[in-house]
Amino acid sequence: MVAELLSSKIGASKVSLRAEDISVHATDKWYASHPPDVVVFPETTADVSTVLEFAHRYGIPVTTRGAGVGYVGGCVPIKGGIALSLARMNRILELNPEDGVAVVQPGVITGDLQKAAQALGWDYPPDPASLKECSIGGNIATNAGGPRCLKYGVTRSYVLGLEVVMPDGKVAQVGGRVHKNKTGFDLVGLFTGSEGMLGVVTAASLRLIPKPPARAMLAAVFPDFPMAAAAVQGILNSGHLPSALEITDGFTLAAARRRLGPERLPDGDAHLIIEIDGRPRAVDYEIDELEELLKKLGATRIQRAEDEDSCEEIWKMRREFSYSLRDTGLTKLNEDIVVPRSKLVELVAFARQLEKDTGIAVACFGHAGDGNIHTNLMVADYENPEIRSKADAALDRLFKWVLDHGGAITGEHGVGIAKQPWIRQALGENTFNLHKAIKGALDPDAILNPGKFLD
C-alpha cells in the first residue's frame, strides 16, 4: 500500500520493492542489517518533500542513504519503513571559481567533485579514504574528514549553505553561498554531522579554494612507534604544517609487507607519511628541510616523492594498509577514535596491553596530525556469539580509555548504531538531553533515521 501511494505521488519508476534494492539498502559496510519496506529514489527536492510529507502524515520511518559506505550502520533502516536513496540526485549544479563556490546535489561522489574543481584550477579539500565512492550528502551527514584535514579542516569547514527538507516536508534554506555569514544561528553546523536525524539535505553550497600548484611527500620508516610519534611532534614544533601526516604501527606494517612485499616496506616498527603543498619553490625548500629533520629524528629509511605520480604511489601504498588487514582473514572492527596528539604513544601502548589481555590483535594507523587514529580490533570468528561478546568488552575498554584521556569515540564515521552503547558516556547526561531536545523540536514524531544513538 505504501509503495502504491508513493508511486502515485512521485512516479512508479522512483519506488521499488525489488528484492535486490531491498537487500542493498538494508545495510552499509558495518555488519548490521535490516530491510526497509520500500526503497524510494527521489530525483528532485520536490520528490523528497513529497515523500517526507507523506511519511510524516502516516508516521512512517524514513532512513536516508547516500552511497552506503559508512562503517557504523548509520543508514541501516532499523525500523523498516522507507529507505530514501539520494543516489539519483547526483548533479553538480554550479562550479563558480569567481565566487569560490560549488553547488551540488547530495548524491554527487566526492572524488568527482574534486576532479571537476581541479580541472578549473580549484579544489574541494575534504578527502575521506572512500572519496571515489562516498557522496557529498553522506560526508555532510557524518562531517567526514580525511588525511588532509590537518591543514584544511573537515567537511564542516567547506559547507556554506544547505537546502534541507524537514521531517514534515517543508523546505528550509540555511546559510548561503557567501564565505562569511553571521545571520542567525549556525544551522549549517547543526545539520552537518547530524547523521540524517534532523532533516534531508537536497543541495549544498560548498567552499572551493585555489588548488596548490605543487605538492611533495616523504614516507619514512622508524625503528619503533614512540620515535615516529615523537617525529610528529617534532615536525609540528618546527613550524611545519603538512597537508597530511599519517602514522602506522608495526602490526599493520607486518600485514602490508605480506601483501606488498618487504621491498616496499623495509624493517621497522612504525611508518610516517608527510605531505606538503603550496607554491613550487616553497615546496622544494620545505621538502629538503623536512627530510633532514626526519633523519635527525631517527628515520631509518626515507622515500621521497616530488611529482603527482610518485605522490599517488605513496597514497596507493597507504590505501593498501586497510586491504592488508583484510587479507589476514580476520574481521576488522574499524574504530575511528581520536586522542590528543600527546597521547599517541600511550594509545598504542594501551592497544598492545589490550591485545595481550584479550588475545584480540589491534592494528593502529591513521591521521597522526590530529590524533584521529583508526584503532582496528582484528577478530577471528566474529560470528561466534561468545567471541563477539569478548570483542564488545574489548571495545568498551578502548572507548573508556579514550574518554578518560580526553579523546572522542568518533572523529569521522559518526555514531550510528555501532557506538550507540557509549553515547551517553561520551556526551554526558546534560549534553545528551540537549541532543534529545533538538531532535524533539525538529522531528517530534521521530520519523527520521530512528533506532540510532538517540533512541
Side-chain angles (χ1 to χ4, degrees):
M1 178 64 76
V2 170
E4 292 175 2
L5 289 171
L6 284 171
S7 294
S8 69
K9 290 177 177 293
I10 65 171
S13 64
K14 302 172 186 176
V15 180
S16 177
L17 292 173
R18 293 175 62 235
E20 181 181 354
D21 288 332
I22 296 294
S23 176
V24 166
H25 290 79
T27 189
D28 62 4
K29 288 200 171 184
W30 201 48
Y31 71 85
S33 179
H34 192 284
D37 297 311
V38 60
V39 181
V40 179
F41 299 93
E43 297 176 6
T44 65
T45 299
D47 287 345
V48 175
S49 177
T50 298
V51 172
L52 289 188
E53 183 182 13
F54 174 83
H56 178 259
R57 181 182 308 149
Y58 295 105
I60 301 170
V62 178
T63 302
T64 309
R65 180 186 180 91
V69 295
Y71 283 103
V72 294
C75 64
V76 175
I78 290 297
K79 303 293 185 180
I82 299 168
L84 188 70
S85 169
L86 301 177
R88 294 184 187 176
M89 298 182 68
N90 59 2
R91 290 188 298 133
I92 297 175
L93 302 174
E94 180 184 358
L95 275 177
N96 191 323
E98 288 80 7
D99 289 344
V101 171
V103 182
V104 306
Q105 292 182 312
V108 169
I109 299 301
T110 306
D112 291 345
L113 173 59
Q114 283 191 355
K115 288 178 182 177
Q118 289 172 2
L120 300 177
W122 288 70
D123 195 15
Y124 176 72
D127 62 333
S130 57
L131 65 89
K132 293 182 180 179
E133 54 183 340
C134 65
S135 66
I136 292 294
N139 292 174
I140 292 171
T142 59
N143 194 20
R148 291 197 291 173
C149 65
L150 169 63
K151 181 175 181 179
Y152 290 108
V154 296
T155 297
R156 173 63 187 96
S157 303
Y158 296 87
V159 182
L160 302 174
L162 296 171
E163 179 181 78
V164 184
V165 181
M166 303 305 295
D168 61 1
K170 293 186 174 68
V171 180
Q173 305 288 340
V174 300
R177 53 172 291 125
V178 292
H179 287 239
K180 295 179 74 175
N181 185 349
K182 178 55 198 81
T183 309
F185 296 149
D186 180 14
L187 298 181
V188 171
L190 180 66
F191 287 104
T192 303
S194 62
E195 301 191 29
M197 300 171 72
L198 302 180
V200 178
V201 172
T202 50
S205 297
L206 305 173
R207 180 166 71 99
L208 302 178
I209 66 170
K211 184 182 184 300
R215 67 168 174 160
M217 296 181 70
L218 298 170
V221 176
F222 286 84
D224 57 47
F225 194 92
M227 290 182 70
V232 170
Q233 294 290 4
I235 290 167
L236 296 170
N237 289 341
S238 297
H240 297 280
L241 182 59
S243 53
L245 192 47
E246 300 280 297
I247 198 167
T248 306
D249 74 349
F251 183 97
T252 308
L253 290 176
R257 289 187 187 103
R258 288 192 293 271
R259 180 180 175 91
L260 302 174
E263 68 281 356
R264 292 288 301 276
L265 289 163
D267 288 345
D269 204 37
H271 188 262
L272 203 61
I273 292 173
I274 306 99
E275 181 182 73
I276 60 171
D277 60 15
R279 305 302 303 174
R281 289 176 64 184
V283 168
D284 289 344
Y285 179 83
E286 188 173 13
I287 202 70
D288 289 339
E289 195 173 78
L290 279 168
E291 185 171 12
E292 289 304 311
L293 179 60
L294 287 174
K295 292 175 182 176
K296 293 177 183 177
L297 293 170
T300 56
R301 175 183 180 269
I302 300 173
Q303 178 184 352
R304 183 166 170 146
E306 298 180 87
D307 56 49
E308 289 292 323
D309 289 343
S310 56
C311 285
E312 185 53 35
E313 277 299 308
I314 291 179
W315 279 121
K316 182 179 178 181
M317 177 181 67
R318 163 64 176 82
R319 288 191 289 268
E320 291 289 335
F321 290 168
S322 184
Y323 294 110
S324 299
L325 293 177
R326 293 177 192 175
D327 285 353
T328 64
L330 304 172
T331 297
K332 180 165 71 78
L333 302 183
N334 183 359
E335 305 303 335
D336 62 323
I337 56 92
V338 189
V339 295
R341 273 200 310 263
S342 61
K343 304 293 184 183
L344 288 179
V345 174
E346 290 179 55
L347 170 64
V348 173
F350 169 79
R352 296 287 82 82
Q353 187 61 49
L354 186 65
E355 193 173 72
K356 291 178 183 177
D357 294 345
T358 64
I360 297 173
V362 183
C364 299
F365 66 91
H367 319 315
D370 51 27
N372 181 199
I373 303 299
H374 293 266
T375 305
N376 305 273
L377 272 63
M378 307 298 297
V379 186
D381 195 17
Y382 187 63
E383 298 304 315
N384 183 317
E386 184 177 342
I387 292 177
R388 179 174 293 187
S389 177
K390 185 178 180 181
D392 288 344
L395 284 178
D396 188 59
R397 283 183 59 183
L398 171 65
F399 290 142
K400 286 181 177 177
W401 186 92
V402 167
L403 292 172
D404 287 345
H405 289 77
I409 63 174
T410 175
E412 297 179 323
H413 300 162
V415 179
I417 307 168
K419 296 181 173 67
Q420 189 175 24
W422 297 276
I423 188 63
R424 285 179 182 267
Q425 183 182 356
L427 291 176
E429 199 64 25
N430 289 339
T431 305
F432 179 81
N433 289 335
L434 179 58
H435 279 68
K436 295 275 285 186
I438 293 170
K439 171 71 169 174
L442 298 185
D443 184 16
D445 297 322
I447 67 165
L448 279 186
N449 207 5
K452 302 308 190 310
F453 67 83
L454 289 180
D455 290 351

